Amino acid sequence: MNRTAPRCLVSISLALAWCLLAVRAPAELADYEPWDEEIVEIFKAMPIQEGGRIKPMQAYAETTLLRYNAMRALRFETADGTKHRVEGSAWLLDVFFRPEVAKAIPCFIVNDSDAVIAIGVEEHAKRRSRYSYDELAPAREKLSELAREYGEIEEAERTGKQNQIVDLARNVFQFEFLEHTFDFARDGLDVNLPEISPELAGEGVAISTFLENMGAIREAAADPAKLAAIDEALRTANNQMMLYLNTARSFAIIPPQGDDQEDAWLLPAEIMEDGVGSAADGGGAAAFEIGILRKLEGLAQAEPGSPAFAAALKALSETTIAAAEARGEMKSVPLELALYAGKFPLRTQLALVFGFLFLAASLLFSRRGAGLWLRRAGEVCAIIATLLLLGWLTLRCLIMGRAPVANLYETILFIVAIIMLLALGFHYLTKRPFVLPVALFAGSTGIFISMLYDRMKGEDTMGPLVAVLNSNFWLWTHVTTVTMGYAACLLAAKVSHVFVFEKLFGSRNKELFRDLTPLVYAIICFGLFFSLIGTILGGIWANDSWGRFWGWDPKENGALMIVLGCLAILHARLGGLIKQDGIHFCSIGLAMVTAFSWWYVNVMGVGLHSYGFTSGIKRAVWIYWGIELAVIVAGVVGWLLARSDSKASGSAKQGPAPNAAHSAA
Amino acid sequence: MSNPTQSPSASAVDRVLRFLASYSLATVLFVALLILVMLGTFAQLYMDIHDVKREYFSSAFVVHRFHANVPGGDMEPTGWWMPWVGGYPLMALLFVNILVGGLIRIRKNIRTIGVVICHFSILLLLAWGFVTNHFVDEGYMQIFEEGEKNYFVDYTKWDVEVIKQTGEGKHAKVFTIPHEKLAPLDRSSGSRRTFSSPAWPFAITVSHYRRNSAVVAGEGEVAVDGFGLSRVPDAKKAEQNVPGALVEIATEGGDPQRGLLWGLSRAPLTVTDADGERWSLKLTKRIYNLPFTIRLRDFIKDDHPGISMAREFQSEVTKIEGGKSDDVKIWMNHPMHAGVYTLYQAGWGPQEGEPAGTPDYTVLAVWKRPLFSGWWPLASVCIVSLGLLTHFIMKLVGHFEREAARAARKAAAAESQPAAPAP
């Protein structure tokens, strides 16, 4: 085998690995006291309801931080030179209970310093940098004004700077709400009704106490002599409560009484809104809810990080966990914690990258000795990566109770897993050495894209489904089969890249070329099988959901185009229209069709499968098309040149052509 | 080379059959279809799906006009265009190609059984597509809670109804000028067509038919009694288009009457014939009567906890037919089947922007199609799976057998070589 291509691939992957592992320059902060590990562990495991599902606080913390910071953890350096790494849950503890510290931590990513210059904030030395709330706060008005102005422009039409400002404003203002989430528990109400209860006198009366006494307050208000004073006291309390009602609604932390899982958990603000009435009735549910409010108050008023704080947090956590368990809603929380603790994205990526490096390096050596050991190491890494992917997907299945293919992020993971399984299968069945490194490279690219996508979206990737997708049967049958078709087509294209690059780099390894072509053909057959069946199954699902089998919707068209592409390649080969090189060029073209179907049609903004606009995806697909088109053109030019060379050498071997006179003679 | 004993006509037929059965034709058709589907997909960025279906996939020929984004998010033509073959000829030729090549001329033996099965199932699917495209009525019914309906209306087809009034608000007979005859009048500005019937005492000439129009006080493109009819750009969804037209009614012995028909007009256009009989004309979405009545008992929208995303929406309805009532629940992915009719949960309201106090309502999509046609695709998918599996497994087994034979040959060759002399 020619060794130029593996060398190039090794260099590319080393550069990629360096990019991935490069440490970012930390920002500076005066001082930072890390949270006690036990406190962080209790806090991250607390169940809440947010975004339509029950999840651990860690999920909420990491998604929020991801949106602000483009990373799930913060890295910064304090003035004394200490480097800190703060994970999402610890950062959220800061935001809730040490807001002054949180405000000084640089957590808002700005990709282009033009955005901060536009709002009048002094830019950092680096164009892409993280800013703290304290740095941005003086420019709050300008930020708000510009965000309002740019918000009126369609997202697709905005410039990069305008998008940055809109995103930054959204994050900064959400941060402000977050840091005030527990104000109600910390500050309480100013109520002065000592004649009703001695506890209702002075500043900072606990809201739980106020709600508990609502019945007595109402009773007293029936007395005309007391009505004016009570009215005045309630007016003051209500004004304060109005502020809390806006901020105490980041997530629902209070499980409702009863075991009906369709009942939504309650926000602290909802307890304040509704609790007044229920407290007056003296119902048990209200007593439970008020009990949780009291625990929240105990937590917010304790010294952050102190033993009292830890005890209050533990008491709150135990109460909510017990209530959630009683409702049968705690099953997915430990699984989700295990998912985060497993660090699947990073570990899978490492296994894929190292597997690729070992296998690519093994091609530089002979098949024995170091080459054999490197190959074995690469195979072990590939198996580990596949097991990690399967574990990752299985955990997601168990958490969500559905097939892990309902959004674009999940399809990336699923496709990478299928590519790895397919490659391992082909590797052990055909004993060809090139399938596995190609799959590892493709898998690593896929995981890298999933990480980028996760950062770009900055949202919960395990969110609930819209009504039409809420069908486990069809997700497991139609979506998985279609996605397996995508995986096969992409793998075939990756193998075809090896063919094209090997030829471009001048390899004359005919045995390799002979092996690659039937392999690509077989993978395309596999792709056709799943694409065709998946597409027809999709039609049957559409028939049940929307009343028609086929509606020429962009997503349906995308799936059909893959089927047509596969069929065209297979029939063209059978008819002799394309041979060795042609199959590989067409296979790369098929990957372009697959990318169109997988990504582009979802962001077109039309049709029944439109999953919403994600900035940058369309451009990324066009860039991918450009690259693949360039590969095809380069391959075709190389093929034409090689053909003309072989013709020339063929005619040179045959000697000069006989001239007409000779022929006549 | 032709067979000397064969007649020239037989040879020509054979050549034609060979061409129709060829892999080359199949490849060209697949590529042409792929390009058509891609063009039809891009066209949906600026055209309604119904128009795309008609112009790209239910046509013989299409001219694709390239569009580009302009500031503001809209798309405008670039001036570049590309002619392409429409869906009908491509799919018809593909049908013939599969029939001739994949079923008739293919060598039939145990090795090709999977391929034959696949081709058969794809033929079934194409035939099913033809049937559904030509023999299906599709529409919707909007029912308010506690309300009932025994008809559904088409999404995009508008007919002119000619109704003979018999007084007291009752009408005796309804005649229609169908959408299929009206729609072609929209193609050029001067198009007009006269319709008559032995049942009518007049002739109706329709002109200035505009598939999306507005009626304005004053002039417009054509005006009658101070109101003008103007064309407006197509709505993003074809079902939101409101057509309009000018009609001239020539009664025997009387002066011709002119009037505007408009889809949203509340009052019909009325005409009195020579015998003093009153007739009314109105432009209305096509109505299909159902043999049963659907009554909406309750509409339930169930959100995911804590957010406003619908987890489920369902209509609890009662189907009333021949004095018999059945309670049925229709929800996403669970339609109601009733003979040739199928009712699906398609929408609900009131939606944002509708007047306050609008009661809950459901929108059910209704399809009328040939009996058992719903099972057709399911049968196809089962057959095609079987065919592909059979074929690919046989291929795989063949591959491993060849590999094993090659390895055995290699081993035999190595054994037969004389041992190298010891150093």
Side-chain angles (χ1 to χ4, degrees):
Chain A
M1 184 174 178
N2 183 298
R3 292 180 180 181
T4 322
R7 273 186 202 130
C8 285
L9 290 173
V10 171
S11 313
I12 292 167
S13 46
L14 282 174
L16 256 176
W18 181 83
C19 289
L20 281 170
L21 301 174
V23 179
R24 283 174 180 73
E28 279 205 359
L29 183 75
D31 188 24
Y32 184 78
E33 179 69 31
W35 287 88
D36 183 73
E37 229 169 76
E38 191 196 345
I39 291 177
V40 177
E41 289 302 315
I42 296 170
F43 182 69
K44 68 162 66 160
M46 269 176 57
I48 58 166
Q49 189 176 67
E50 197 266 342
R53 70 184 186 95
I54 309 294
K55 56 174 89 163
M57 186 68 88
Q58 185 180 8
Y60 176 71
E62 290 196 3
T63 313
T64 308
L65 185 59
L66 186 68
R67 200 159 45 239
Y68 296 179
N69 182 52
M71 297 286 281
R72 289 177 183 269
L74 286 160
R75 287 169 194 274
F76 55 88
E77 191 174 315
T78 41
D80 59 359
T82 314
K83 287 178 179 170
H84 296 272
R85 185 184 179 279
V86 176
E87 62 178 86
S89 304
W91 168 78
L92 197 62
L93 274 168
D94 281 328
V95 176
F96 287 155
F97 305 108
R98 300 193 307 200
E100 294 314 312
V101 175
K103 282 178 183 175
I105 297 175
C107 65
F108 297 102
I109 182 81
V110 175
N111 288 319
D112 185 346
S113 54
D114 282 354
V116 285
I117 294 170
I119 58 171
V121 168
E122 197 181 331
E123 81 267 32
H124 291 177
K126 283 188 177 174
R127 200 169 177 79
R128 182 178 191 268
S129 186
R130 290 176 171 80
Y131 292 75
S132 67
Y133 178 83
D134 285 342
E135 284 176 283
L136 298 170
R140 197 183 176 285
E141 288 307 308
K142 185 70 180 171
L143 181 64
S144 167
E145 182 194 319
L146 286 180
R148 225 180 359 256
E149 184 188 331
Y150 300 149
E152 285 169 13
I153 304 170
E154 287 277 331
E155 192 179 349
E157 299 298 309
R158 285 184 217 139
T159 62
K161 187 181 88 177
Q162 289 169 339
N163 267 325
Q164 280 274 303
I165 288 176
V166 172
D167 290 347
L168 188 62
R170 188 198 57 215
N171 293 340
V172 166
F173 299 141
Q174 200 204 7
F175 177 89
E176 289 176 351
F177 274 90
L178 272 185
E179 65 149 318
H180 291 294
T181 300
F182 288 103
D183 279 3
F184 77 94
R186 206 167 8 238
D187 301 337
L189 300 170
D190 297 341
V191 186
N192 202 15
L193 292 168
E195 63 277 17
I196 294 172
S197 164
E199 290 175 313
L200 295 176
E203 293 179 0
V205 170
I207 288 179
S208 56
T209 309
F210 177 70
L211 294 179
E212 248 176 355
N213 284 287
M214 272 309 294
I217 294 171
R218 285 207 175 143
E219 224 169 78
D223 182 354
K226 294 179 184 170
L227 183 61
I230 290 173
D231 200 33
E232 178 59 31
L234 287 182
R235 197 174 301 128
T236 312
N238 275 342
N239 286 343
Q240 281 179 298
M241 213 184 267
M242 286 304 288
L243 289 174
Y244 300 148
L245 292 182
N246 280 329
T247 53
R249 46 177 72 246
S250 301
F251 46 80
I253 197 168
I254 302 151
Q257 294 293 280
D259 57 4
D260 185 357
Q261 292 190 4
E262 292 193 1
D263 288 346
W265 285 32
L266 298 163
L267 305 161
E270 284 173 326
I271 302 291
M272 287 185 256
E273 279 168 335
D274 306 337
V276 175
S278 55
D281 302 336
F288 171 76
E289 290 153 6
I290 288 169
I292 293 207
L293 279 192
R294 181 158 293 130
K295 286 190 167 67
L296 286 169
E297 286 161 353
L299 177 68
Q301 287 166 15
E303 175 65 26
S306 65
F309 183 89
L313 186 64
K314 198 172 179 190
L316 174 68
S317 174
E318 283 170 356
T319 309
T320 51
I321 287 174
E325 272 171 351
R327 288 168 54 78
E329 289 178 326
M330 266 305 280
K331 286 170 202 151
S332 65
V333 174
L335 292 172
E336 197 165 349
L337 288 169
L339 182 76
Y340 295 122
K343 294 192 183 348
F344 286 95
L346 181 68
R347 287 177 179 167
T348 309
Q349 184 66 309
L350 287 175
L352 291 167
V353 169
F354 281 109
F356 171 72
L357 288 175
F358 288 142
L359 287 175
S362 78
L363 296 174
L364 303 174
F365 295 92
S366 69
R367 292 195 172 192
R368 291 180 184 166
L372 181 68
W373 283 107
L374 284 167
R375 200 164 68 244
R376 292 275 176 266
E379 286 171 354
V380 168
C381 284
I383 293 169
I384 291 172
T386 311
L387 291 175
L388 280 169
L389 277 162
L390 294 176
W392 187 358
L393 288 169
T394 308
L395 267 178
R396 289 180 70 95
C397 275
L398 293 172
I399 292 164
M400 297 178 293
R402 60 168 165 81
V405 281
N407 57 44
L408 281 172
Y409 177 80
E410 289 174 348
T411 56
I412 304 174
L413 309 184
F414 190 78
I415 281 175
V416 173
I418 295 298
I419 284 179
M420 287 308 300
L421 283 172
L422 259 179
L424 281 171
F426 277 111
H427 181 78
Y428 286 109
L429 285 176
T430 64
K431 311 284 183 211
R432 303 290 187 264
F434 43 78
V435 189
L436 211 47
V438 167
L440 285 162
F441 186 76
S444 172
T445 313
I447 297 297
F448 184 66
I449 291 171
S450 76
M451 289 170 164
L452 276 183
Y453 182 78
D454 193 29
R455 285 182 201 180
M456 228 161 66
K457 293 287 277 185
E459 62 184 36
D460 186 4
T461 57
M462 291 189 284
L465 298 178
V466 293
V468 71
L469 289 180
N470 225 345
S471 165
N472 239 339
F473 172 76
W474 289 114
L475 280 178
W476 276 114
T477 51
H478 158 62
V479 188
T480 49
T481 42
V482 159
T483 315
M484 284 163 88
Y486 292 173
C489 294
L490 292 172
L491 180 63
K494 291 290 166 252
V495 177
S496 291
H497 279 82
V498 174
F499 179 94
V500 172
F501 285 125
E502 281 284 329
K503 278 215 151 180
L504 282 176
F505 286 123
S507 166
R508 294 186 184 279
N509 188 341
K510 285 189 176 168
E511 194 189 346
L512 171 73
F513 297 150
R514 261 202 312 272
D515 286 345
L516 284 173
T517 309
L519 180 71
V520 166
Y521 185 78
I523 301 173
I524 291 175
C525 287
F526 183 90
L528 171 66
F529 178 76
F530 284 99
S531 300
L532 181 59
I533 290 170
T535 304
I536 302 177
L537 284 172
I540 298 172
W541 186 7
N543 202 24
D544 270 5
S545 299
W546 302 315
R548 86 289 183 287
F549 176 78
W550 197 259
W552 300 105
D553 178 89
K555 192 73 180 174
E556 295 167 356
N557 290 355
L560 177 63
M561 281 160 61
I562 294 176
V563 174
L564 290 169
C566 290
L567 287 171
I569 294 173
L570 300 188
H571 283 79
R573 183 180 180 255
L574 287 169
L577 296 177
I578 53 171
K579 295 202 170 73
Q580 206 174 52
D581 296 67
I583 286 176
H584 295 288
F585 302 148
C586 290
S587 155
I588 298 172
L590 185 62
M592 292 167 68
V593 173
T594 308
F596 178 81
S597 173
W598 183 16
W599 288 91
Y600 194 91
V601 294
N602 290 346
V603 291
M604 281 176 70
V606 293
L608 296 162
H609 294 81
S610 184
Y611 300 150
F613 181 80
T614 305
S615 175
I617 286 184
K618 273 189 186 176
R619 198 174 48 231
V621 175
W622 285 116
I623 291 171
Y624 175 74
W625 272 36
I627 293 169
E628 294 294 38
L629 214 54
V631 173
I632 294 174
V633 169
V636 170
V637 170
W639 172 70
L640 287 172
L641 289 174
R643 202 171 69 152
S644 66
D645 280 355
S646 71
K647 270 188 183 170
S649 62
S651 42
K653 274 182 194 165
Q654 283 169 15
N659 62 28
H662 274 107
S663 303
Chain B
M1 195 183 282
S2 62
N3 186 339
T5 58
Q6 216 171 17
S7 70
S9 64
S11 164
V13 169
D14 193 50
R15 273 208 299 272
V16 170
L17 281 179
R18 209 177 303 156
F19 168 72
L20 288 175
S22 66
Y23 287 122
S24 306
L25 178 65
T27 308
V28 168
L29 288 173
F30 288 134
V31 173
L33 260 172
L34 195 153
I35 293 170
L36 176 75
V37 174
M38 184 166 273
L39 295 177
T41 308
F42 278 119
Q44 291 180 42
L45 286 169
Y46 49 87
M47 280 172 82
D48 178 73
I49 181 72
H50 290 91
D51 295 335
V52 171
K53 275 189 217 173
R54 195 184 59 246
E55 286 189 23
Y56 285 76
F57 304 118
S58 304
S59 64
F61 188 76
V62 60
V63 176
H64 178 77
R65 290 170 207 289
F66 291 93
H67 281 58
N69 277 314
V70 291
D74 289 334
M75 298 200 82
E76 283 190 357
T78 57
W80 292 83
W81 54 275
M82 180 175 129
W84 201 251
V85 192
Y88 271 168
L90 287 178
M91 283 187 262
L93 264 176
L94 186 63
F95 186 89
V96 174
N97 178 258
I98 295 173
L99 184 70
V100 180
L103 285 184
I104 297 172
R105 286 178 68 93
I106 193 169
R107 234 178 278 144
K108 294 170 195 72
N109 55 40
I110 192 72
R111 289 171 63 188
T112 58
I113 189 161
V115 180
V116 173
I117 293 172
C118 290
H119 284 127
F120 173 71
S121 71
I122 298 296
L123 274 186
L124 262 185
L125 210 57
L126 281 171
W128 180 83
F130 177 81
V131 168
T132 50
N133 207 27
H134 287 84
F135 302 104
V136 163
D137 291 329
E138 164 194 13
Y140 67 95
M141 60 201 300
Q142 178 184 355
I143 318 175
F144 288 95
E145 269 182 358
E146 299 302 326
E148 56 185 45
K149 276 201 175 144
N150 61 356
Y151 64 89
F152 64 99
V153 290
D154 200 286
Y155 284 109
T156 55
K157 290 177 183 158
W158 292 74
D159 299 330
V160 171
E161 285 190 351
V162 184
I163 306 158
K164 187 178 182 184
Q165 303 285 347
T166 55
E168 304 295 325
K170 293 175 184 171
H171 54 260
K173 210 162 186 184
V174 179
F175 307 90
T176 56
I177 303 173
H179 170 86
E180 288 75 10
K181 290 183 177 172
L182 295 169
L185 302 178
D186 189 35
R187 286 191 190 140
S188 64
S189 56
S191 291
R192 55 197 290 123
R193 184 165 173 183
T194 301
F195 300 93
S196 60
S197 159
W200 308 342
F202 44 69
I204 302 168
T205 304
V206 181
S207 63
H208 294 85
Y209 181 83
R210 305 288 177 252
R211 67 179 188 160
N212 196 23
S213 63
V215 170
V216 289
E219 286 302 303
E221 285 178 52
V222 56
V224 177
D225 299 334
F227 288 95
L229 180 78
S230 294
R231 179 194 293 279
V232 292
D234 283 356
K236 270 236 161 173
K237 289 186 170 180
E239 62 212 61
Q240 290 166 349
N241 285 339
V242 180
L246 172 71
V247 289
E248 289 169 284
I249 300 146
T251 50
E252 213 172 301
D255 291 334
Q257 294 182 45
R258 297 173 85 229
L260 292 179
L261 289 180
W262 189 50
L264 292 186
S265 177
R266 288 186 181 180
L269 183 68
T270 53
V271 185
T272 308
D273 65 17
D275 300 330
E277 298 272 12
R278 282 170 60 81
W279 294 74
S280 63
L281 281 79
K282 65 176 180 182
L283 192 54
T284 179
K285 276 191 173 173
R286 182 173 294 172
I287 288 172
Y288 305 92
N289 290 314
L290 289 168
F292 49 83
T293 300
I294 295 291
R295 183 164 179 275
L296 178 65
R297 286 180 286 116
D298 195 12
F299 176 77
I300 300 162
K301 178 180 172 268
D302 186 13
D303 285 344
H304 286 286
I307 54 173
S308 59
M309 181 198 278
R311 175 167 53 191
E312 200 58 83
F313 34 99
Q314 62 184 43
S315 302
E316 291 183 357
V317 302
T318 303
K319 177 179 159 246
I320 306 159
E321 187 174 17
K324 194 180 156 214
S325 297
D326 290 317
D327 287 346
V328 187
K329 195 166 81 173
I330 303 172
W331 77 104
M332 291 307 297
N333 302 320
H334 295 83
M336 177 190 121
H337 299 283
V340 294
Y341 297 94
T342 314
L343 280 72
Y344 305 85
Q345 184 64 59
W348 54 276
Q351 297 279 344
E352 212 175 288
E354 290 192 62
T358 305
D360 285 356
Y361 64 82
T362 187
V363 181
L364 302 174
V366 187
W367 283 68
K368 182 188 174 193
R369 57 185 149 207
L371 213 54
F372 305 120
S373 61
W375 292 97
W376 208 326
L378 189 61
S380 290
V381 77
C382 294
I383 299 171
V384 82
S385 308
L386 179 75
L388 283 174
L389 261 181
T390 309
H391 183 64
F392 290 146
I393 287 174
M394 283 169 69
K395 282 265 176 193
L396 200 64
V397 170
H399 170 77
F400 287 129
E401 280 173 359
R402 279 195 303 278
E403 287 277 303
R406 199 165 70 173
R409 273 200 307 275
K410 264 189 181 176
E415 270 178 21
S416 64
Q417 272 181 3

